[in-house]
Amino acid sequence: MINFSNSSFVKSAPNLANAPQGGFPEVLLVGRSNVGKSSLINALCNKKALAFTSSKPGHTRLLNYYNVDDKLYLVDAPGYGFAKGGFDLDKLFGEMMEDYFSKASRIKRVLVLLDSRRELNEDDVDIINFLVEKNINYTLIFTKVDKVNQSEKYRLIKSLKEMGVDEKEIIFTSILKPRTLEPVRSVLNK
Ligand SMILES: Nc1nc2c(ncn2[C@@H]2O[C@H](COP(=O)(O)OP(=O)(O)OP(=O)(O)O)[C@@H](O)[C@H]2O)c(=O)[nH]1
Ligand SMILES: [Mg+2]
C-alpha cells in the first residue's frame, strides 16, 4: 500500500524526455487549466502546498514530478486551453504516445481531470478519444463535485458513455470531501 503522506517534489521538466532518471512508474494528470490538477495532488498526498495551486488559470507551466512513497511519480502537467505558458500540448501527447508504446514505458496511466460544472470542451473530447483509440490506461476524474447535484452527475456519465468510455473508469471527486479521494488512491495503489 502506498503511504500518500510520504510524498515530495522531485523536479520540474520541460518534457517527458527530462523525466527523473531511474525512477518509478508514472501517472500523468492532464486537464484544462484551473480544473484542479495541482489541488488533487495536494489532497491525495495530504499536503497543503506540495503542488502549487492558483485561482488564476495557467499556473503550472512545466511537468512537475512528485515522488509518492518511492512507489510512483505523479506528474502534474500544464493545463490545456491556456497557451500563454507556451507549453506544446500536441508535443506532450506525441511524446506520451511514443513513451507509452515503447518497451520500457514509464507511463502507466493517465488521469484526465474534468470540471463537474462544465460541458466537455473540444480539448477534453480530443484527449478522451485519443486515450480510448490508443488503448492507453486512463481514468476520468471529475473535480469539484461539491458544486453539482446528482442529476448533473448522471448527465455527465451518460455523455461519456456515448463516447465509448467505460463507466468503471469515471470517478467523482472533491478536495473538500476526503472520502471521494479514496477511489483515486485505489487506482494508484493498483
Ligand atoms: N470547490 C472546489 N474547488 C476546487 C476543487 N479542486 C480545486 N479547486 C479550486 O480550483 C482552482 C484551481 O485549482 P488548481 O489545482 O490550481 O488547478 P490546475 O488544474 O492545477 O490549474 P493549472 O495549473 O492552471 O493548469 C483553485 O482555486 C482550487 O482551490 C474542488 O474539488 N472543489
Ligand atoms: Mg496546476
Side-chain angles (χ1 to χ4, degrees):
M1 290 282 275
I2 298 172
N3 173 9
F4 284 88
S5 299
N6 182 27
S7 50
S8 57
F9 172 71
V10 182
K11 71 182 265 188
S12 293
N15 50 47
L16 285 172
N18 284 287
Q21 292 298 308
F24 310 107
E26 295 175 18
V27 174
L28 197 60
L29 283 85
V30 300
R32 92 173 72 160
S33 205
N34 214 44
V35 68
K37 297 175 294 297
S38 303
S39 302
L40 184 67
I41 290 177
N42 286 333
L44 288 169
C45 297
N46 306 307
K47 298 265 198 310
K48 282 215 168 70
L50 182 64
F52 207 87
T53 64
S54 168
S55 52
K56 273 190 268 150
H59 204 279
T60 307
R61 296 286 171 81
L62 295 160
L63 296 170
N64 292 309
Y65 283 76
Y66 299 91
N67 175 325
V68 185
D69 201 25
D70 284 346
K71 294 204 170 68
L72 61 89
Y73 289 125
L74 285 178
V75 187
D76 192 5
Y80 48 81
F82 203 82
K84 207 162 108 186
F87 199 88
D88 189 341
L89 189 77
D90 290 339
K91 194 159 162 265
L92 172 66
F93 275 81
E95 277 182 49
M96 191 183 92
M97 208 176 104
E98 260 174 51
D99 182 275
Y100 195 87
F101 291 104
S102 74
K103 261 198 180 141
S105 177
R106 295 163 289 126
I107 299 172
K108 299 303 174 197
R109 181 167 293 266
V110 179
L111 307 182
V112 183
L113 273 63
L114 301 163
D115 191 324
S116 302
R117 299 169 304 177
R118 296 177 207 272
E119 296 294 327
L120 302 198
N121 71 12
E122 221 174 287
D123 289 324
D124 296 326
V125 172
D126 284 352
I127 284 176
I128 295 166
N129 284 334
F130 171 88
L131 297 168
V132 170
E133 274 169 30
K134 306 289 178 202
N135 248 314
I136 292 174
N137 294 325
Y138 66 88
T139 302
L140 302 185
I141 299 183
F142 281 103
T143 61
K144 312 189 189 187
V145 70
D146 51 284
K147 305 263 196 196
V148 299
N149 62 32
Q150 201 62 29
S151 70
E152 286 172 89
K153 282 166 70 175
Y154 286 131
R155 201 174 52 83
L156 291 166
I157 292 173
K158 185 164 171 270
S159 66
L160 285 166
K161 278 168 131 178
E162 283 165 9
M163 290 174 63
V165 168
D166 185 344
E167 192 176 343
K168 289 201 301 285
E169 308 299 349
I170 303 173
I171 300 174
F172 286 91
T173 65
S174 164
I175 58 167
L176 306 177
K177 299 181 177 194
R179 266 186 312 117
T180 65
L181 304 173
E182 285 310 317
V184 183
R185 292 199 182 99
S186 310
V187 167
L188 297 175
N189 267 309
K190 276 189 214 137

